[in-house]
Amino acid sequence: SEHTIDGELKHKILNTIRANRVKHNMHNNPENLDVIVQCTHCWWNPMNAKSLRPYLRKKGYEHMLLDTEAQGLRGSTSGAAGADSAVSAEGAECKESQLAR
């Protein structure tokens, strides 16, 4: 959580992840939806991108946008500790490894 790492380190991690995200479009490519919808319970869920909503609807995944349990959001039994939880090494690794498949 952001309370266990220095704020400067948190921003460095976020900037690194953002820089990596611009190297490819696998996190917002409609042809990669079957993988994108599996990226849950991490600090960032790429299926929440507005640009993917029409494609999610077309492929029948739209219901997942409102499913806090499936996304592991705050308030779900399997959810994140809270909306303020910061970047964790596992969360960043989860996203990158699932999207790289």
Side-chain angles (χ1 to χ4, degrees):
S1 95
E2 66 188 47
H3 303 292
T4 59
I5 64 172
D6 181 75
E8 187 177 327
L9 177 60
K10 173 187 170 183
H11 291 291
K12 185 175 181 178
I13 292 170
L14 287 171
N15 290 334
T16 301
I17 291 169
R18 289 179 181 129
N20 285 337
R21 215 180 289 157
V22 298
K23 292 179 182 178
H24 61 78
N25 72 347
M26 293 181 349
H27 60 280
N28 63 2
N29 184 338
E31 294 179 15
N32 200 32
L33 279 182
D34 293 330
V35 174
I36 291 171
V37 297
Q38 295 177 51
C39 296
T40 62
H41 294 72
C42 296
W43 71 275
W44 173 66
N45 290 335
M47 79 171 134
N48 289 324
K50 289 180 184 179
S51 63
L52 290 176
R53 289 183 185 164
Y55 303 100
L56 289 164
R57 190 174 302 120
K58 185 177 179 181
K59 284 197 83 172
Y61 291 126
E62 186 179 34
H63 68 280
M64 293 183 74
L65 293 173
L66 303 174
D67 190 340
T68 58
E69 194 65 42
Q71 290 192 46
L73 299 177
R74 182 172 57 171
S76 66
T77 57
S78 62
D84 293 332
S85 63
V87 177
S88 70
E90 295 104 26
E93 189 175 307
C94 171
K95 287 287 165 249
E96 295 301 321
S97 65
Q98 287 203 13
L99 289 171
R101 290 183 194 165

Coordinates of all heavy atoms in Angstrom, one line a residue:
S1 N 0.8 -1.2 0.0 CA 0.0 0.0 0.0 C 0.9 1.2 0.0 O 2.1 1.2 0.3 CB -1.0 0.0 1.2 OG -0.5 0.7 2.3
E2 N 0.3 2.4 -0.2 CA 1.0 3.6 -0.3 C 1.6 4.0 1.0 O 2.5 4.8 1.1 CB 0.2 4.7 -0.8 CG -0.9 5.1 0.1 CD -1.9 6.1 -0.6 OE1 -2.2 5.9 -1.7 OE2 -2.2 7.1 0.1
H3 N 1.2 3.3 2.1 CA 1.7 3.6 3.4 C 2.9 2.8 3.8 O 3.5 3.1 4.8 CB 0.6 3.4 4.5 CG -0.6 4.3 4.2 ND1 -0.7 5.6 4.3 CD2 -1.9 3.9 3.7 CE1 -1.8 6.1 4.0 NE2 -2.6 5.0 3.6
T4 N 3.3 1.9 2.9 CA 4.4 1.1 3.2 C 5.6 1.4 2.3 O 6.7 0.9 2.5 CB 4.1 -0.4 3.1 OG1 3.7 -0.7 1.8 CG2 3.1 -0.9 4.1
I5 N 5.3 2.2 1.3 CA 6.4 2.6 0.4 C 6.5 4.2 0.4 O 5.4 4.8 0.6 CB 6.3 2.1 -1.0 CG1 5.1 2.6 -1.7 CG2 6.4 0.6 -1.1 CD1 5.0 2.3 -3.2
D6 N 7.6 4.7 0.2 CA 7.8 6.1 0.1 C 7.0 6.7 -1.1 O 6.9 6.0 -2.1 CB 9.3 6.4 -0.1 CG 9.6 7.9 -0.1 OD1 9.6 8.5 0.9 OD2 9.9 8.3 -1.3
G7 N 6.4 7.9 -0.9 CA 5.7 8.5 -2.0 C 6.5 8.7 -3.3 O 5.9 8.5 -4.4
E8 N 7.7 9.0 -3.1 CA 8.6 9.2 -4.3 C 8.8 7.9 -5.1 O 8.7 7.9 -6.3 CB 10.0 9.7 -3.9 CG 10.9 10.1 -5.0 CD 12.2 10.7 -4.5 OE1 12.2 11.4 -3.5 OE2 13.2 10.4 -5.2
L9 N 8.9 6.8 -4.3 CA 9.1 5.5 -4.9 C 7.8 5.1 -5.7 O 7.8 4.6 -6.8 CB 9.4 4.4 -3.9 CG 9.5 3.0 -4.4 CD1 10.6 2.9 -5.5 CD2 9.8 2.0 -3.3
K10 N 6.6 5.4 -5.0 CA 5.3 5.1 -5.6 C 5.2 5.8 -7.0 O 4.8 5.2 -8.0 CB 4.2 5.6 -4.7 CG 2.8 5.5 -5.4 CD 1.8 6.2 -4.5 CE 0.5 6.3 -5.2 NZ -0.5 7.0 -4.4
H11 N 5.6 7.1 -7.1 CA 5.5 7.8 -8.3 C 6.5 7.3 -9.4 O 6.2 7.3 -10.5 CB 5.7 9.3 -8.1 CG 4.5 9.9 -7.4 ND1 3.3 10.0 -7.9 CD2 4.4 10.4 -6.1 CE1 2.4 10.6 -7.1 NE2 3.1 10.8 -5.9
K12 N 7.6 6.8 -8.9 CA 8.6 6.3 -9.8 C 8.1 5.0 -10.4 O 8.2 4.7 -11.6 CB 9.9 6.0 -9.1 CG 11.0 5.5 -10.0 CD 12.3 5.3 -9.2 CE 13.4 4.9 -10.1 NZ 14.7 4.8 -9.5
I13 N 7.4 4.1 -9.6 CA 6.8 2.9 -10.1 C 5.7 3.2 -11.1 O 5.6 2.6 -12.1 CB 6.3 2.0 -8.9 CG1 7.5 1.5 -8.1 CG2 5.4 0.9 -9.4 CD1 7.0 0.9 -6.8
L14 N 4.8 4.1 -10.7 CA 3.7 4.5 -11.6 C 4.2 5.0 -12.9 O 3.7 4.7 -14.0 CB 2.8 5.6 -10.9 CG 2.0 5.1 -9.8 CD1 1.3 6.3 -9.1 CD2 0.9 4.1 -10.3
N15 N 5.2 5.9 -12.9 CA 5.8 6.4 -14.1 C 6.4 5.3 -15.0 O 6.3 5.3 -16.2 CB 6.8 7.5 -13.9 CG 6.2 8.8 -13.3 OD1 5.0 9.0 -13.6 ND2 6.9 9.5 -12.6
T16 N 7.1 4.3 -14.4 CA 7.7 3.2 -15.1 C 6.6 2.4 -15.8 O 6.7 2.0 -16.9 CB 8.5 2.3 -14.2 OG1 9.5 3.1 -13.6 CG2 9.1 1.2 -14.9
I17 N 5.5 2.1 -15.0 CA 4.4 1.3 -15.6 C 3.8 2.1 -16.7 O 3.5 1.5 -17.8 CB 3.4 1.0 -14.5 CG1 4.0 0.0 -13.5 CG2 2.1 0.4 -15.1 CD1 3.2 -0.3 -12.3
R18 N 3.5 3.4 -16.6 CA 2.9 4.2 -17.7 C 3.8 4.2 -18.9 O 3.4 4.1 -20.0 CB 2.7 5.6 -17.2 CG 1.5 5.6 -16.2 CD 1.3 7.0 -15.7 NE 0.2 7.0 -14.8 CZ 0.2 7.5 -13.5 NH1 1.3 8.2 -13.1 NH2 -0.8 7.5 -12.8
A19 N 5.1 4.3 -18.7 CA 6.1 4.2 -19.8 C 6.0 2.9 -20.5 O 6.1 2.8 -21.8 CB 7.5 4.5 -19.3
N20 N 5.9 1.8 -19.8 CA 5.8 0.5 -20.3 C 4.5 0.3 -21.1 O 4.4 -0.4 -22.1 CB 5.9 -0.6 -19.3 CG 7.3 -0.8 -18.8 OD1 8.3 -0.5 -19.5 ND2 7.5 -1.3 -17.6
R21 N 3.4 0.9 -20.6 CA 2.1 0.8 -21.2 C 2.1 1.4 -22.6 O 1.3 0.9 -23.5 CB 1.1 1.5 -20.3 CG -0.2 0.8 -20.3 CD -1.2 1.5 -19.4 NE -0.9 1.3 -18.0 CZ -1.3 2.2 -17.1 NH1 -2.0 3.2 -17.4 NH2 -0.9 1.9 -15.8
V22 N 2.9 2.4 -22.9 CA 2.8 3.0 -24.2 C 3.7 2.2 -25.2 O 3.6 2.5 -26.4 CB 3.3 4.5 -24.2 CG1 2.4 5.3 -23.3 CG2 4.8 4.6 -23.8
K23 N 4.4 1.2 -24.8 CA 5.2 0.4 -25.7 C 4.3 -0.6 -26.5 O 4.8 -1.1 -27.6 CB 6.2 -0.4 -24.9 CG 7.3 0.4 -24.3 CD 8.2 -0.5 -23.5 CE 9.3 0.4 -22.8 NZ 10.2 -0.5 -21.9
H24 N 3.1 -0.8 -26.1 CA 2.2 -1.7 -26.8 C 0.8 -1.4 -26.5 O 0.5 -0.5 -25.7 CB 2.5 -3.2 -26.4 CG 2.3 -3.5 -25.0 ND1 1.0 -3.6 -24.5 CD2 3.1 -3.6 -24.0 CE1 1.1 -3.9 -23.2 NE2 2.4 -3.9 -22.8
N25 N -0.1 -2.0 -27.3 CA -1.5 -1.7 -27.1 C -2.3 -2.9 -26.6 O -3.5 -2.9 -26.7 CB -2.2 -1.1 -28.3 CG -2.3 -2.1 -29.4 OD1 -1.8 -3.2 -29.3 ND2 -3.1 -1.8 -30.4
M26 N -1.6 -3.8 -26.0 CA -2.3 -5.1 -25.6 C -3.3 -4.8 -24.5 O -4.3 -5.6 -24.3 CB -1.3 -6.1 -25.2 CG -0.5 -6.6 -26.4 SD 0.8 -7.8 -26.2 CE 1.0 -8.1 -24.5
H27 N -3.2 -3.7 -23.8 CA -4.1 -3.5 -22.7 C -5.4 -2.8 -23.1 O -6.3 -2.7 -22.4 CB -3.4 -2.6 -21.6 CG -2.9 -1.3 -22.1 ND1 -1.8 -1.2 -22.8 CD2 -3.5 -0.1 -22.1 CE1 -1.6 0.1 -23.2 NE2 -2.6 0.8 -22.7
N28 N -5.4 -2.3 -24.4 CA -6.6 -1.6 -24.9 C -7.0 -2.0 -26.3 O -7.7 -1.3 -27.0 CB -6.6 -0.1 -24.7 CG -5.4 0.5 -25.5 OD1 -4.7 -0.2 -26.2 ND2 -5.3 1.8 -25.4
N29 N -6.4 -3.1 -26.8 CA -6.7 -3.6 -28.1 C -7.9 -4.5 -28.1 O -7.9 -5.6 -27.4 CB -5.5 -4.4 -28.6 CG -5.6 -4.9 -30.0 OD1 -6.7 -5.0 -30.5 ND2 -4.5 -5.2 -30.7
P30 N -9.0 -4.2 -28.8 CA -10.2 -5.0 -28.8 C -10.0 -6.4 -29.2 O -10.7 -7.3 -28.8 CB -11.1 -4.3 -29.8 CG -10.6 -2.9 -29.9 CD -9.1 -3.0 -29.6
E31 N -8.9 -6.7 -29.9 CA -8.7 -8.1 -30.3 C -8.1 -8.9 -29.2 O -7.9 -10.1 -29.3 CB -7.7 -8.1 -31.5 CG -8.3 -7.5 -32.8 CD -7.4 -7.5 -34.0 OE1 -6.4 -8.2 -33.9 OE2 -7.7 -6.8 -34.9
N32 N -7.7 -8.2 -28.1 CA -7.2 -8.9 -26.9 C -8.1 -9.0 -25.7 O -7.7 -9.2 -24.6 CB -5.9 -8.1 -26.5 CG -5.0 -8.9 -25.7 OD1 -4.9 -10.1 -25.8 ND2 -4.3 -8.3 -24.8
L33 N -9.4 -8.8 -26.0 CA -10.4 -8.8 -24.9 C -10.5 -10.0 -24.1 O -10.7 -10.0 -22.9 CB -11.8 -8.6 -25.5 CG -12.2 -7.2 -25.9 CD1 -13.6 -7.1 -26.4 CD2 -12.0 -6.2 -24.7
D34 N -10.2 -11.2 -24.7 CA -10.3 -12.4 -23.9 C -9.2 -12.5 -22.8 O -9.4 -13.1 -21.8 CB -10.2 -13.7 -24.8 CG -11.4 -13.8 -25.8 OD1 -12.5 -13.4 -25.4 OD2 -11.2 -14.3 -26.9
V35 N -8.1 -11.8 -23.0 CA -7.1 -11.7 -22.0 C -7.4 -10.6 -21.1 O -7.2 -10.7 -19.9 CB -5.7 -11.6 -22.7 CG1 -4.6 -11.3 -21.6 CG2 -5.3 -12.8 -23.5
I36 N -7.8 -9.4 -21.6 CA -8.0 -8.2 -20.8 C -9.1 -8.5 -19.7 O -8.9 -8.1 -18.6 CB -8.5 -7.1 -21.7 CG1 -7.3 -6.6 -22.6 CG2 -9.1 -5.9 -20.9 CD1 -7.7 -5.6 -23.7
V37 N -10.1 -9.2 -20.0 CA -11.1 -9.5 -19.0 C -10.7 -10.4 -17.9 O -11.3 -10.5 -16.9 CB -12.5 -10.0 -19.6 CG1 -13.1 -9.0 -20.6 CG2 -12.2 -11.4 -20.3
Q38 N -9.5 -11.1 -18.1 CA -8.9 -11.9 -17.1 C -8.1 -11.1 -16.1 O -7.6 -11.7 -15.1 CB -8.1 -13.0 -17.7 CG -9.0 -14.0 -18.5 CD -8.1 -15.1 -19.2 OE1 -7.3 -15.7 -18.5 NE2 -8.3 -15.2 -20.5
C39 N -7.8 -9.9 -16.4 CA -6.9 -9.1 -15.6 C -7.8 -8.4 -14.5 O -8.3 -7.3 -14.7 CB -6.2 -8.0 -16.4 SG -5.1 -8.7 -17.6
T40 N -7.9 -9.1 -13.4 CA -8.7 -8.6 -12.3 C -7.9 -8.7 -11.0 O -6.8 -9.3 -11.0 CB -10.0 -9.5 -12.2 OG1 -9.6 -10.8 -11.9 CG2 -10.8 -9.4 -13.4
H41 N -8.5 -8.2 -10.0 CA -7.9 -8.2 -8.6 C -6.5 -7.6 -8.6 O -5.7 -8.0 -7.8 CB -7.9 -9.7 -8.1 CG -9.2 -10.2 -7.9 ND1 -10.1 -10.6 -8.9 CD2 -9.9 -10.5 -6.7 CE1 -11.2 -11.0 -8.4 NE2 -11.1 -11.0 -7.1
C42 N -6.3 -6.7 -9.4 CA -5.0 -5.9 -9.4 C -5.3 -4.5 -9.3 O -6.5 -4.0 -9.3 CB -4.2 -6.2 -10.7 SG -3.7 -7.9 -10.9
W43 N -4.3 -3.7 -9.1 CA -4.6 -2.2 -8.8 C -5.1 -1.5 -10.0 O -5.7 -0.4 -9.9 CB -3.3 -1.6 -8.3 CG -2.2 -1.4 -9.4 CD1 -1.3 -2.4 -9.8 CD2 -2.0 -0.3 -10.2 NE1 -0.6 -1.9 -10.8 CE2 -0.9 -0.6 -11.1 CE3 -2.6 1.0 -10.4 CZ2 -0.5 0.2 -12.1 CZ3 -2.1 1.8 -11.3 CH2 -1.1 1.5 -12.1
W44 N -5.0 -2.1 -11.2 CA -5.5 -1.4 -12.4 C -6.1 -2.5 -13.3 O -5.5 -3.5 -13.6 CB -4.3 -0.8 -13.2 CG -4.7 -0.2 -14.5 CD1 -5.5 0.8 -14.8 CD2 -4.2 -0.6 -15.8 NE1 -5.6 1.1 -16.1 CE2 -4.8 0.2 -16.8 CE3 -3.3 -1.6 -16.2 CZ2 -4.5 0.0 -18.1 CZ3 -3.1 -1.8 -17.5 CH2 -3.7 -1.0 -18.5
N45 N -7.4 -2.3 -13.7 CA -8.1 -3.2 -14.6 C -8.3 -2.6 -15.9 O -9.1 -1.7 -16.1 CB -9.5 -3.6 -14.0 CG -9.4 -4.4 -12.7 OD1 -8.4 -5.1 -12.6 ND2 -10.3 -4.4 -11.9
P46 N -7.6 -3.1 -17.0 CA -7.6 -2.4 -18.3 C -9.0 -2.5 -18.9 O -9.3 -1.7 -19.8 CB -6.6 -3.2 -19.1 CG -6.4 -4.5 -18.4 CD -6.6 -4.2 -16.9
M47 N -9.8 -3.4 -18.5 CA -11.2 -3.5 -19.1 C -12.0 -2.3 -18.8 O -13.0 -2.1 -19.5 CB -11.9 -4.8 -18.7 CG -12.5 -4.8 -17.4 SD -13.5 -6.2 -17.2 CE -13.0 -6.7 -15.6
N48 N -11.6 -1.4 -17.9 CA -12.3 -0.2 -17.6 C -12.1 0.9 -18.6 O -12.7 2.0 -18.4 CB -12.0 0.2 -16.1 CG -12.6 -0.7 -15.1 OD1 -13.7 -1.2 -15.3 ND2 -11.9 -0.9 -14.0
A49 N -11.3 0.7 -19.6 CA -11.0 1.7 -20.5 C -12.3 2.1 -21.3 O -12.9 1.2 -21.8 CB -9.9 1.3 -21.5
K50 N -12.6 3.3 -21.4 CA -13.8 3.8 -22.1 C -13.8 3.3 -23.6 O -14.8 3.0 -24.1 CB -14.0 5.3 -22.1 CG -14.3 5.8 -20.7 CD -14.5 7.3 -20.7 CE -14.7 7.8 -19.3 NZ -14.9 9.3 -19.3
S51 N -12.6 3.3 -24.2 CA -12.5 2.9 -25.6 C -12.9 1.4 -25.8 O -13.2 1.1 -26.9 CB -11.1 3.1 -26.1 OG -10.2 2.3 -25.4
L52 N -12.9 0.6 -24.8 CA -13.2 -0.8 -24.9 C -14.7 -1.1 -24.7 O -15.2 -2.2 -25.0 CB -12.4 -1.7 -24.0 CG -10.9 -1.8 -24.3 CD1 -10.2 -2.6 -23.2 CD2 -10.7 -2.4 -25.6
R53 N -15.4 -0.2 -24.2 CA -16.8 -0.4 -23.8 C -17.7 -1.0 -25.0 O -18.4 -1.9 -24.8 CB -17.5 0.8 -23.2 CG -16.9 1.0 -21.8 CD -17.5 2.2 -21.1 NE -16.8 2.4 -19.8 CZ -16.9 3.5 -19.1 NH1 -17.7 4.5 -19.5 NH2 -16.2 3.6 -18.0
P54 N -17.6 -0.4 -26.2 CA -18.4 -0.9 -27.3 C -18.0 -2.4 -27.6 O -18.9 -3.2 -27.9 CB -18.2 0.0 -28.5 CG -17.5 1.2 -27.9 CD -16.9 0.8 -26.6
Y55 N -16.8 -2.7 -27.5 CA -16.3 -4.0 -27.8 C -16.7 -5.0 -26.7 O -17.0 -6.2 -27.0 CB -14.8 -4.0 -28.1 CG -14.4 -3.1 -29.1 CD1 -13.9 -1.8 -28.8 CD2 -14.5 -3.4 -30.5 CE1 -13.5 -0.9 -29.9 CE2 -14.2 -2.6 -31.5 CZ -13.7 -1.3 -31.2 OH -13.3 -0.4 -32.2
L56 N -16.6 -4.6 -25.5 CA -17.0 -5.4 -24.4 C -18.5 -5.8 -24.5 O -18.9 -6.9 -24.3 CB -16.8 -4.7 -23.0 CG -15.3 -4.6 -22.6 CD1 -15.2 -3.5 -21.5 CD2 -14.8 -5.9 -22.2
R57 N -19.3 -4.8 -24.9 CA -20.7 -5.0 -25.1 C -21.0 -6.0 -26.2 O -21.8 -6.9 -26.0 CB -21.4 -3.6 -25.4 CG -22.9 -3.7 -25.4 CD -23.5 -2.3 -25.6 NE -23.0 -1.3 -24.6 CZ -22.3 -0.2 -24.8 NH1 -22.0 0.1 -26.1 NH2 -21.9 0.6 -23.9
K58 N -20.3 -5.8 -27.3 CA -20.5 -6.7 -28.5 C -20.1 -8.1 -28.2 O -20.7 -9.1 -28.7 CB -19.6 -6.2 -29.6 CG -19.8 -6.9 -30.9 CD -18.9 -6.3 -32.0 CE -19.1 -7.0 -33.3 NZ -18.3 -6.4 -34.4
K59 N -19.0 -8.4 -27.4 CA -18.6 -9.7 -27.0 C -19.3 -10.3 -25.8 O -19.0 -11.4 -25.4 CB -17.1 -9.8 -26.9 CG -16.4 -9.7 -28.2 CD -14.9 -10.1 -28.1 CE -14.8 -11.6 -28.2 NZ -13.5 -12.1 -28.2
G60 N -20.2 -9.5 -25.2 CA -20.9 -10.0 -24.1 C -20.2 -9.9 -22.7 O -20.6 -10.6 -21.8
Y61 N -19.2 -9.0 -22.6 CA -18.5 -8.9 -21.4 C -19.0 -7.6 -20.6 O -18.4 -7.3 -19.5 CB -17.0 -8.7 -21.6 CG -16.3 -9.9 -22.1 CD1 -15.6 -9.9 -23.3 CD2 -16.3 -11.1 -21.4 CE1 -14.9 -11.0 -23.8 CE2 -15.7 -12.2 -21.9 CZ -14.9 -12.2 -23.0 OH -14.3 -13.3 -23.5
E62 N -19.9 -6.9 -21.1 CA -20.3 -5.6 -20.5 C -20.7 -5.8 -19.0 O -20.5 -4.9 -18.2 CB -21.5 -5.0 -21.2 CG -21.8 -3.6 -20.7 CD -22.9 -3.0 -21.6 OE1 -23.8 -3.7 -22.0 OE2 -22.9 -1.8 -21.7
H63 N -21.4 -6.9 -18.7 CA -21.8 -7.1 -17.3 C -20.6 -7.1 -16.3 O -20.8 -6.8 -15.1 CB -22.5 -8.5 -17.2 CG -21.6 -9.7 -17.4 ND1 -21.2 -10.1 -18.6 CD2 -21.0 -10.5 -16.5 CE1 -20.4 -11.1 -18.5 NE2 -20.2 -11.4 -17.2
M64 N -19.4 -7.4 -16.8 CA -18.3 -7.4 -15.9 C -17.9 -6.0 -15.4 O -17.2 -5.9 -14.3 CB -17.1 -8.1 -16.6 CG -17.3 -9.6 -16.8 SD -15.9 -10.3 -17.6 CE -14.8 -10.4 -16.2
L65 N -18.3 -5.0 -16.1 CA -17.9 -3.6 -15.7 C -18.6 -3.3 -14.4 O -18.1 -2.4 -13.7 CB -18.3 -2.6 -16.8 CG -17.5 -2.7 -18.1 CD1 -18.1 -1.8 -19.2 CD2 -16.0 -2.4 -17.9
L66 N -19.8 -3.8 -14.2 CA -20.5 -3.5 -12.9 C -20.3 -4.6 -11.8 O -20.9 -4.4 -10.8 CB -22.0 -3.4 -13.3 CG -22.3 -2.4 -14.4 CD1 -23.8 -2.4 -14.7 CD2 -22.0 -1.0 -13.9
D67 N -19.6 -5.6 -12.1 CA -19.4 -6.7 -11.2 C -18.2 -6.5 -10.3 O -17.1 -6.8 -10.6 CB -19.2 -8.0 -12.0 CG -19.3 -9.2 -11.1 OD1 -19.1 -9.1 -9.8 OD2 -19.6 -10.3 -11.6
T68 N -18.4 -5.9 -9.1 CA -17.3 -5.6 -8.2 C -16.6 -6.8 -7.7 O -15.4 -6.8 -7.5 CB -17.8 -4.8 -7.0 OG1 -18.8 -5.5 -6.3 CG2 -18.3 -3.4 -7.4
E69 N -17.3 -7.9 -7.6 CA -16.7 -9.2 -7.2 C -15.7 -9.7 -8.2 O -14.6 -10.1 -7.9 CB -17.8 -10.2 -6.9 CG -17.3 -11.4 -6.1 CD -16.9 -11.0 -4.7 OE1 -17.5 -10.3 -4.0 OE2 -15.8 -11.6 -4.3
A70 N -16.2 -9.7 -9.5 CA -15.3 -10.2 -10.6 C -14.1 -9.4 -10.7 O -13.0 -9.9 -11.1 CB -16.1 -10.3 -11.9
Q71 N -14.2 -8.1 -10.5 CA -13.1 -7.2 -10.6 C -12.2 -7.1 -9.4 O -11.1 -6.6 -9.4 CB -13.5 -5.8 -11.0 CG -14.1 -5.7 -12.4 CD -14.2 -4.3 -12.9 OE1 -13.3 -3.5 -12.7 NE2 -15.3 -4.0 -13.5
G72 N -12.7 -7.6 -8.3 CA -12.0 -7.6 -7.0 C -11.9 -6.2 -6.5 O -10.9 -5.8 -5.8
L73 N -13.0 -5.4 -6.7 CA -13.0 -4.0 -6.2 C -13.3 -3.9 -4.7 O -13.8 -4.8 -4.1 CB -14.0 -3.2 -7.0 CG -13.7 -3.1 -8.5 CD1 -14.8 -2.4 -9.2 CD2 -12.4 -2.5 -8.8
R74 N -13.0 -2.7 -4.2 CA -13.3 -2.5 -2.8 C -14.8 -2.8 -2.5 O -15.7 -2.4 -3.3 CB -13.0 -1.0 -2.4 CG -13.2 -0.7 -0.9 CD -12.8 0.6 -0.6 NE -13.4 1.7 -1.4 CZ -13.3 2.9 -1.1 NH1 -12.5 3.3 -0.1 NH2 -13.8 3.8 -1.9
G75 N -15.1 -3.4 -1.4 CA -16.4 -3.8 -1.0 C -16.8 -5.2 -1.4 O -17.8 -5.8 -1.0
S76 N -16.0 -5.9 -2.2 CA -16.2 -7.3 -2.6 C -15.5 -8.2 -1.6 O -14.6 -7.7 -0.9 CB -15.7 -7.6 -4.0 OG -14.3 -7.5 -4.1
T77 N -16.0 -9.4 -1.5 CA -15.4 -10.3 -0.5 C -14.0 -10.7 -0.9 O -13.2 -11.0 -0.1 CB -16.2 -11.6 -0.4 OG1 -16.4 -12.2 -1.6 CG2 -17.6 -11.3 0.2
S78 N -13.7 -10.6 -2.2 CA -12.3 -11.0 -2.7 C -11.5 -9.7 -3.1 O -10.5 -9.8 -3.7 CB -12.4 -12.0 -3.8 OG -13.1 -11.3 -4.9
G79 N -12.0 -8.6 -2.7 CA -11.6 -7.3 -3.2 C -10.3 -6.8 -2.6 O -9.7 -7.3 -1.7
A80 N -9.9 -5.6 -3.2 CA -8.8 -4.9 -2.8 C -9.0 -4.3 -1.4 O -10.1 -4.1 -1.0 CB -8.5 -3.8 -3.8
A81 N -7.9 -4.0 -0.8 CA -8.0 -3.4 0.6 C -8.7 -2.1 0.6 O -9.3 -1.7 1.5 CB -6.6 -3.3 1.1
G82 N -8.6 -1.3 -0.5 CA -9.3 0.0 -0.6 C -8.9 0.7 -1.8 O -7.9 0.3 -2.5
A83 N -9.7 1.7 -2.2 CA -9.4 2.4 -3.4 C -8.1 3.2 -3.3 O -7.5 3.5 -4.4 CB -10.5 3.4 -3.7
D84 N -7.6 3.4 -2.1 CA -6.3 4.2 -2.0 C -5.1 3.3 -2.0 O -4.0 3.7 -1.8 CB -6.4 5.0 -0.7 CG -7.4 6.1 -0.7 OD1 -7.7 6.5 -1.8 OD2 -7.9 6.5 0.3
S85 N -5.3 2.0 -2.2 CA -4.1 1.1 -2.1 C -3.3 1.4 -3.3 O -3.7 1.7 -4.4 CB -4.5 -0.4 -2.1 OG -5.2 -0.7 -3.3
A86 N -2.0 1.5 -3.1 CA -1.1 1.9 -4.1 C -0.6 0.7 -5.0 O -1.0 -0.4 -4.8 CB 0.1 2.6 -3.5
V87 N 0.4 1.0 -5.8 CA 0.9 0.0 -6.7 C 1.7 -1.0 -5.8 O 2.5 -0.7 -5.0 CB 1.9 0.7 -7.6 CG1 2.6 -0.4 -8.5 CG2 1.3 1.7 -8.5
S88 N 1.3 -2.3 -6.0 CA 2.1 -3.3 -5.4 C 2.9 -4.0 -6.5 O 2.5 -4.0 -7.6 CB 1.2 -4.3 -4.7 OG 0.5 -5.1 -5.7
A89 N 4.0 -4.6 -6.1 CA 4.8 -5.3 -7.1 C 4.0 -6.4 -7.7 O 4.1 -6.7 -8.9 CB 6.1 -5.8 -6.4
E90 N 3.2 -7.1 -6.8 CA 2.4 -8.2 -7.4 C 1.4 -7.7 -8.4 O 1.2 -8.3 -9.4 CB 1.7 -9.0 -6.3 CG 2.7 -9.7 -5.3 CD 2.8 -8.9 -4.0 OE1 1.9 -8.2 -3.6 OE2 3.8 -9.1 -3.3
G91 N 0.8 -6.6 -8.1 CA -0.3 -6.1 -8.9 C 0.3 -5.7 -10.3 O -0.3 -6.0 -11.3
A92 N 1.4 -5.0 -10.3 CA 2.1 -4.6 -11.5 C 2.5 -5.8 -12.3 O 2.3 -5.9 -13.5 CB 3.2 -3.7 -11.2
E93 N 3.0 -6.8 -11.6 CA 3.5 -8.0 -12.3 C 2.3 -8.8 -12.8 O 2.4 -9.3 -13.9 CB 4.3 -8.8 -11.2 CG 5.0 -10.0 -11.8 CD 5.8 -10.7 -10.8 OE1 6.6 -10.1 -10.1 OE2 5.6 -12.0 -10.7
C94 N 1.2 -8.8 -12.1 CA 0.0 -9.5 -12.6 C -0.4 -8.9 -13.9 O -0.7 -9.6 -14.9 CB -1.1 -9.4 -11.5 SG -2.7 -9.9 -12.1
K95 N -0.6 -7.6 -14.0 CA -1.0 -7.0 -15.2 C -0.1 -7.2 -16.3 O -0.5 -7.6 -17.4 CB -1.1 -5.4 -15.0 CG -2.2 -5.0 -14.2 CD -3.5 -5.2 -15.0 CE -4.7 -5.1 -14.1 NZ -5.4 -6.3 -13.9
E96 N 1.2 -7.0 -16.1 CA 2.2 -7.1 -17.2 C 2.3 -8.6 -17.7 O 2.3 -8.8 -18.9 CB 3.5 -6.6 -16.7 CG 3.6 -5.1 -16.5 CD 3.2 -4.3 -17.6 OE1 3.6 -4.6 -18.8 OE2 2.5 -3.3 -17.4
S97 N 2.2 -9.5 -16.8 CA 2.3 -10.9 -17.2 C 1.1 -11.4 -17.9 O 1.2 -12.1 -18.9 CB 2.6 -11.8 -16.0 OG 1.5 -11.8 -15.1
Q98 N -0.1 -11.0 -17.5 CA -1.3 -11.4 -18.2 C -1.4 -10.8 -19.5 O -1.8 -11.4 -20.5 CB -2.5 -11.1 -17.3 CG -2.6 -12.1 -16.2 CD -4.1 -12.2 -15.7 OE1 -5.0 -11.8 -16.3 NE2 -4.2 -12.8 -14.5
L99 N -1.0 -9.5 -19.7 CA -1.1 -8.8 -20.9 C -0.1 -9.3 -21.9 O -0.2 -9.2 -23.1 CB -1.1 -7.3 -20.7 CG -2.3 -6.8 -20.1 CD1 -2.1 -5.3 -19.7 CD2 -3.6 -6.9 -21.0
A100 N 1.0 -9.8 -21.4 CA 2.1 -10.2 -22.3 C 1.9 -11.6 -22.9 O 2.5 -11.9 -23.9 CB 3.4 -10.3 -21.5
R101 N 0.9 -12.3 -22.4 CA 0.6 -13.6 -22.9 C 0.0 -13.6 -24.3 O -0.6 -12.7 -24.8 CB -0.4 -14.3 -22.1 CG 0.2 -14.7 -20.7 CD -0.8 -15.5 -19.9 NE -0.3 -15.5 -18.6 CZ -1.0 -15.9 -17.6 NH1 -2.3 -16.2 -17.7 NH2 -0.5 -15.9 -16.4

